[in-house]
Amino acid sequence: GGLGTASKYWASAYIDTILTTGNVGIGEASPGTPLQITSTAPYITLKNSTAENTSGGAESRIIFEDHSNAALGQIEVSHNGNNDNTLGNMLLQTSNGSALVAALTLNSSQNATFAGTVDVNGNLAVEDEIHLTDGGSTVRGKLLLNSSDRDNVELRAESLGSTMKFFTVGTQALLLDDSQNATFAGGLTVSGDIVAGGQASPTMRMT
């Protein structure tokens, strides 16, 4: 038992080093930061030894503080749900100046919940559906990428009695109601044929 003598576990022959600068090297003779791990598999394990199967229990944290010991951010991984299983949640928190608040939550189903706005500067690739909710679990709309035909894209209003509104420069340009009626705020220009009332072979062109 025990850790053995310091000379055995920190001797240069084991490439574990404590420099006079205070830098600690594990598998590293010349650590360039306060803690450096050098290995073909440089893993760090945080193990909560409490047998706790509660939501948010068995948590492990990495806390980031400033010079005054104030927490600026935190990464927390904990148990998901109240059953005896190994489901986990990951929570990323940032400080709002007075407390740590959730910025991103990843649950055991690999769903991501962002607390604020998501800005994408590059491309955004989506495999299936984008859901627009009411802030809860009710889906108000969907941007649907057809799973069998990726060339088809559907924009849907999902809620009963809902309408879809399209805006340009902050002004409503088109309203689609729940009876499939379309109301345009401006003029309508059609470059091809218009088929009205189920007429299969239009005889008049409108422009």
Side-chain angles (χ1 to χ4, degrees), residues 16-144:
D16 295 337
T17 309
I18 299 178
L19 299 181
T20 56
T21 58
N23 290 351
V24 176
I26 300 177
E28 176 58 53
S30 302
T33 55
L35 175 62
Q36 181 174 337
I37 301 174
T38 300
S39 169
T40 57
Y43 304 151
I44 297 177
T45 300
L46 302 180
K47 179 179 179 179
N48 189 318
S49 60
T50 305
E52 197 172 26
N53 296 305
T54 58
S55 182
E59 72 278 6
S60 298
R61 296 174 179 172
I62 300 176
I63 303 171
F64 305 87
E65 295 185 344
D66 68 2
H67 65 283
S68 65
N69 298 323
L72 303 179
Q74 179 174 282
I75 300 173
E76 177 181 302
V77 177
S78 63
H79 187 267
N80 180 18
N82 296 311
N83 296 321
D84 186 358
N85 52 40
T86 56
L87 299 180
N89 281 338
M90 176 175 284
L91 177 65
L92 277 67
Q93 296 175 296
T94 56
S95 174
N96 62 6
S98 58
L100 290 174
V101 293
L104 170 62
T105 302
L106 303 173
N107 68 15
S108 57
S109 298
Q110 289 71 57
N111 295 325
T113 302
F114 293 87
T117 302
V118 179
D119 294 323
V120 180
N121 293 324
N123 296 327
L124 177 63
V126 179
E127 280 293 320
D128 205 356
E129 298 181 5
I130 297 176
H131 289 190
L132 309 177
T133 72
D134 60 355
S137 59
T138 302
V139 177
R140 299 296 185 184
K142 288 183 181 180
L143 178 59
L144 175 66

